[in-house]
Amino acid sequence: MSLLFSSPPSKATASLTPFKAAIPKAKLVELETLIKIAKVAPPTYENSQTDHRYGVNRDWLVNMQDQWLRSYDWKSSEDRINSFPQYTMEVEDLTIHFVGLFSEKKDAVPIILLHGWPGSFLEFLPILQRFREEYTPETLPYHLIVPSLPGYAFSSGPPLDRDFGTGDIARVFDRLMKNLGFESGYVAQGGDIGSQIARRLGTEHESCKAVHVNAVFMKKPDGMTDDHLNAFELQGIENMKKFITTGVGYAIEHGTRPSTIGQVLASSPLALLAWIGEKFLDWVDDPLALEDILESVTLYWLTETFPRAIYTYRQSFPAPPVMIANDPRWYIHKPFGFSSFPGEHVRLPRSWIETTGDLVFWEQHQKGGHFAALERPDELKADLVKFVDQVWPGIKRAD
């Protein structure tokens, strides 16, 4: 029995292979065994701090280890994942996995939704769930495409014989969208690394007609002062400075010694839980459900995502002379939208962000953090709908 929203457009030019997550039982048994025998570090002053100032708390890790063994069920996650249409497509020399809700409307707007690290396609499932509850295949106004970045989840890893970065990901995903029949135009949305890929799509690929993001990584624009900023914006800058001072150790390791940290975290699921779990604790506004954290970490472990996924961090070490969003070459000369969430660890003022593209849509939210699609799916969905409704009619008239 085929799933609803699973009929690709007739204009699709490439072969799609239907996909279902199906982790072998032996892998699940191995994971359970490794969690059971994993050793937790002895109590220290640092790992006893409940505010995470020195990293993940030991008691939290012990509790999560117990929850992982006693109450978390991967098969339930697998069933949820498989309730959505999934496919793989061969693009260049990669196998790209994606979740897709396809509309039967001839004028449906194609949208590609892009995750980052330590995220995955799982982040966008709550939004997809809301769309499929609200619409039928005959009435859905959008084609919604959620790919796993190369190296993440069920997508194959980046090439072993050459360098590969966000520009390459953008090129592959542009081809993915064209192969699906969307060569005449699509919208890109992204957070974290996904926002950088969306920017590359918008600036380097004609078929990407508009860009909406919920993160921009940049330095203060040249010549700009803070005199015009309000207290909320100034606090966001202070939070960013604190993050740069105390919160980027993981990124330095990813960018300078990806081989070492990749092999370390591939050896122990509990170590992986500590490394990734810290981000799901620190980068949110309100706490996530423990089930959400365990689901994400389990997906990373079972698909061996971590060592395959951190390659994009090398682009930042050594630091480039100009960050991508500050570089005029990557100014978005297309409709550009931004959703700002207060718990984002790099929360920047509107006046900074509007120097990086033709900003036509801005929404400041009262709740939400770095994982906006997972934390505040209703708000991000509403913003995306407003943005597309605002910009797409003009784009189609221009065509």
Side-chain angles (χ1 to χ4, degrees), residues 43-345:
T44 65
Y45 171 77
E46 291 83 5
N47 68 34
S48 300
Q49 304 304 308
T50 57
D51 60 4
H52 310 138
R53 76 183 80 167
Y54 301 121
V56 70
N57 174 268
R58 183 183 186 277
D59 288 346
W60 179 87
L61 189 61
V62 170
N63 176 62
M64 290 293 279
Q65 181 183 27
D66 183 68
Q67 295 277 340
W68 212 353
L69 288 170
R70 296 182 184 277
S71 64
Y72 175 71
D73 177 24
W74 166 255
K75 285 299 183 183
S76 294
S77 293
E78 208 170 70
D79 289 343
R80 185 171 77 100
I81 292 168
N82 289 333
S83 74
F84 293 90
Q86 299 171 84
Y87 305 87
T88 60
M89 181 190 290
E90 302 301 313
V91 183
E92 296 184 0
D93 52 357
L94 303 176
T95 299
I96 300 299
H97 161 264
F98 67 93
V99 183
L101 294 187
F102 291 114
S103 172
E104 295 178 11
K105 287 173 64 71
K106 290 184 178 180
D107 60 350
V109 182
I111 304 174
I112 185 170
L113 301 162
L114 301 165
H115 68 81
W117 187 92
S120 68
F121 72 91
L122 292 175
E123 286 181 70
F124 288 104
L125 295 189
I127 289 179
L128 296 190
Q129 175 65 24
R130 285 156 172 77
F131 274 115
R132 73 178 181 181
E133 288 173 352
E134 184 176 353
Y135 297 101
T136 67
E138 296 78 19
T139 62
L140 180 65
Y142 319 102
H143 300 291
L144 300 159
I145 309 300
V146 184
S148 295
L149 271 57
Y152 288 74
F154 303 112
S155 285
S156 61
L160 299 179
D161 60 350
R162 65 182 187 275
D163 204 359
F164 195 83
T166 52
D168 298 293
I169 300 172
R171 185 186 67 252
V172 167
F173 283 173
D174 180 67
R175 175 47 55 192
L176 171 74
M177 296 299 279
K178 289 175 178 175
N179 288 350
L180 288 171
F182 306 139
E183 189 161 4
S184 64
Y186 61 85
V187 175
Q189 198 288 323
D192 192 73
I193 295 167
S195 71
Q196 299 180 45
I197 299 167
R199 179 172 292 273
R200 299 293 289 260
L201 284 169
T203 56
E204 297 175 352
H205 299 278
E206 179 59 32
S207 292
C208 180
K209 301 298 186 182
V211 175
H212 177 277
V213 298
N214 49 283
V216 169
F217 302 98
M218 63 182 297
K219 293 180 180 179
K220 181 189 293 188
D222 290 341
M224 185 171 287
T225 69
D226 295 342
D227 297 344
H228 63 292
L229 301 180
N230 60 39
F232 179 75
E233 292 172 321
L234 290 171
Q235 185 59 56
I237 294 174
E238 288 304 309
N239 292 346
M240 178 186 68
K241 290 178 180 178
K242 180 180 178 182
F243 174 74
I244 291 172
T245 302
T246 64
V248 298
Y250 79 96
I252 296 172
E253 186 71 22
H254 288 188
T256 61
R257 291 294 185 269
S259 174
T260 302
I261 193 63
Q263 294 181 82
V264 167
L265 297 188
S267 67
S268 167
L270 202 64
L272 183 67
L273 173 62
W275 193 263
I276 291 179
E278 178 190 271
K279 308 312 174 195
F280 283 121
L281 291 172
D282 289 353
W283 292 359
V284 297
D285 194 8
D286 291 328
L288 290 172
L290 299 186
E291 179 104 353
D292 288 334
I293 299 174
L294 290 173
E295 182 177 66
S296 290
V297 176
T298 302
L299 177 69
Y300 264 62
W301 180 265
L302 294 175
T303 58
E304 299 182 312
T305 286
F306 182 83
R308 304 185 300 130
I310 55 176
Y311 55 92
T312 58
Y313 284 86
R314 288 190 291 102
Q315 295 177 187
S316 300
F317 298 94
V322 182
M323 295 182 73
I324 179 173
N326 293 96
D327 194 322
R329 292 176 296 171
W330 287 290
Y331 180 96
I332 301 172
H333 293 281
K334 295 174 181 177
F336 175 40
F338 191 86
S339 295
S340 179
F341 292 88
E344 174 63 63
H345 53 267

